[in-house]
Amino acid sequence: MKAEILKMLKEADDHISGQQLCEQFQVSRTAVWKVVNQLKEEGYQVEAVRNKGYRIIESPDVLTREELSVQIGDATRWAGQEIVCFTETDSTNVRARKLGENGAAHGTLVVAEQQTAGRGRRGRGWESPAGSSIYMSLLLRPEFLPNKAPMLTIVMAYSVATALREQTGLDFRIKWPNDIVLNGKKVVGILTEMSTEIEYINHVVIGVGINVNTEAFPEEICATATSIRLESGKTWRRAELIAAILRQFEVQYERFVKEEDLAYLREAYDAVLVNCNREVRILGEKDGYRAVALGIDDQGELLVRKEDGTVTSVYAGEVSVRGIYGYV
Ligand code: ATP
């Protein structure tokens, strides 16, 4: 009921009377009053005028189930239609995996205000301070074969970059395969994990960490990390950004499921690829080498032209890509 009351108050142009809310939701005046008080405690500025009712003047930047479900609304069919929120958790990917094991629906969204064990690729950590960033994971139940699943990282990176470009007007660029950079610094990290059998996928979890309103980073990463706030000088409402990402991802995912490869996305993807047509260093398990990044192929691998002129594809699981002089 709290989500419905919040939605009604947010969508109204004018005050809504307590009586109206009671009738709509078949509850007592006290119950309405309690919900309004809870909203105030969460930081909503609710104006209460005698004989007129309640009106929301200002919403806080909170990641509650109610706020997220109002923002997502019915703009998606399955992405984020089920929402699980934590004030603090170990890792949203771990929580989403557990939910997946217990039968949670395709598209279930897990969000946390803070992670105590945020993770990156290959056992690396993801810095996850409280209250300023987005830590979200989406649970998916694809019907395609397990070997297609790594392409979902590409689909998610494209969706996040596109949604953030649209919402902020800033020049977000993808650093293949799983990062997004803003002005050459890392602002988003993506981690795809899955549970599979040989022939089929049980579930996939895609985690997305976004530095939104972060004001400072620890010394180890401050040269390569940034936030949307640091680059734009403005704060951003996280729930609105999450909703925009889910809308975009649902469209891209459904297209991908139909096509089963990335031929349809290549041109659009390469246009926002940060190192496209530039020299990069490919850092492998063993020796690294220099090459020019040419864009992705139909499977989402990175095509590069080596110094001897041959073109080869680089598989995401094996390498990291760096610019010649620095991170990009
Ligand atoms: P690769 O190029 O292989 O992806 P990576 O260093 O980008 O390498 P990831 O797994 O994508 O690896 O991300 C983890 C790394 O990101 C950490 O080792 C750390 O250097 C950096 N990092 C950790 N937290 C943050 C953060 N909040 N914002 C930006 N960068 C971070």
Side-chain angles (χ1 to χ4, degrees):
M1 182 190 63
K2 191 167 151 203
E4 281 84 23
I5 292 186
L6 180 63
K7 183 164 192 277
M8 210 168 152
L9 288 171
K10 278 194 142 193
E11 286 173 356
D13 299 326
D14 204 349
H15 294 79
I16 297 192
S17 72
Q19 186 63 32
Q20 225 175 317
L21 292 168
C22 295
E23 281 167 15
Q24 175 85 18
F25 302 108
Q26 296 290 310
V27 291
S28 68
R29 281 226 167 214
T30 329
V32 167
W33 182 81
K34 268 194 190 153
V35 170
V36 169
N37 269 358
Q38 276 173 19
L39 291 174
K40 282 184 184 164
E41 267 165 33
E42 282 167 17
Y44 292 88
Q45 277 187 44
V46 188
E47 185 187 56
V49 180
R50 262 190 101 180
N51 298 328
K52 282 176 96 179
Y54 302 107
R55 192 166 73 102
I56 289 190
I57 301 172
E58 178 99 30
S59 299
D61 174 36
V62 286
L63 296 180
T64 57
R65 206 175 62 79
E66 290 80 15
E67 179 63 30
L68 285 163
S69 68
V70 169
Q71 291 298 339
I72 296 163
D74 53 14
T76 63
R77 285 192 302 117
W78 47 263
Q81 289 299 318
E82 297 289 333
I83 305 168
V84 178
C85 289
F86 295 93
T87 315
E88 182 189 296
T89 193
D90 44 2
S91 143
T92 58
N93 265 28
V94 171
R95 293 302 115 207
R97 187 184 74 213
K98 299 265 185 220
L99 287 162
E101 286 163 4
N102 290 323
H106 174 72
T108 298
L109 173 71
V110 180
V111 173
E113 284 279 5
Q114 181 178 13
Q115 295 186 121
T116 52
R119 291 180 294 136
R121 294 202 295 165
R122 286 171 263 163
R124 293 179 184 132
W126 186 259
E127 193 62 36
S128 308
S132 60
S133 303
I134 291 173
Y135 314 112
M136 61 185 263
S137 296
L138 202 59
L139 174 73
L140 302 170
R141 297 190 179 281
E143 282 174 9
F144 47 72
L145 290 173
N147 66 348
K148 307 258 176 218
M151 286 188 260
L152 289 173
T153 301
I154 304 288
V155 175
M156 181 57 93
Y158 179 77
S159 305
V160 174
T162 305
L164 294 179
R165 289 171 78 89
E166 276 172 15
Q167 292 291 307
T168 65
L170 301 169
D171 191 23
F172 288 87
R173 293 194 162 256
I174 298 169
K175 180 175 163 292
W176 181 93
N178 69 320
D179 296 328
I180 294 177
V181 296
L182 193 50
N183 302 330
K185 289 180 162 190
K186 183 152 148 183
V187 68
V188 177
I190 295 170
L191 179 66
T192 303
E193 296 178 299
M194 57 180 161
S195 154
T196 63
E197 308 296 331
I198 292 171
E199 289 286 314
Y200 65 92
I201 297 174
N202 294 320
H203 62 252
V204 176
V205 170
I206 311 182
V208 182
I210 309 176
N211 304 323
V212 180
N213 297 318
T214 327
E215 288 182 75
F217 291 93
E219 211 179 309
E220 317 86 76
I221 57 169
C222 70
T224 53
T226 193
S227 70
I228 311 181
R229 176 179 186 166
L230 288 173
E231 299 304 315
S232 66
K234 286 199 272 181
T235 58
W236 299 85
R237 277 177 204 280
R238 293 170 297 159
E240 286 172 19
L241 300 182
I242 291 174
I245 289 167
L246 294 174
R247 289 195 298 270
Q248 184 63 235
F249 181 76
E250 187 172 286
V251 171
Q252 296 301 336
Y253 179 87
E254 290 194 346
R255 180 84 196 266
F256 173 68
V257 166
K258 250 189 231 139
E259 310 277 341
E260 294 212 3
D261 73 23
L262 297 166
Y264 81 96
L265 193 65
R266 279 175 72 174
E267 205 181 312
Y269 182 94
D270 290 349
V272 287
L273 183 60
V274 70
N275 281 322
C276 206
N277 298 318
R278 297 218 310 249
E279 208 176 349
V280 292
R281 283 176 299 148
I282 309 293
L283 309 176
E285 301 267 296
K286 291 172 261 139
D287 297 337
Y289 58 90
R290 283 186 176 207
V292 174
L294 302 174
I296 56 167
D297 67 11
D298 291 355
Q299 306 304 311
E301 294 183 4
L302 187 69
L303 292 171
V304 298
R305 192 186 321 109
K306 291 183 168 177
E307 281 176 332
D308 65 6
T310 55
V311 174
T312 182
S313 62
V314 181
Y315 178 62
E318 299 165 346
V319 301
S320 293
V321 177
R322 294 282 180 271
I324 292 296
Y325 302 109
Y327 185 62
V328 298

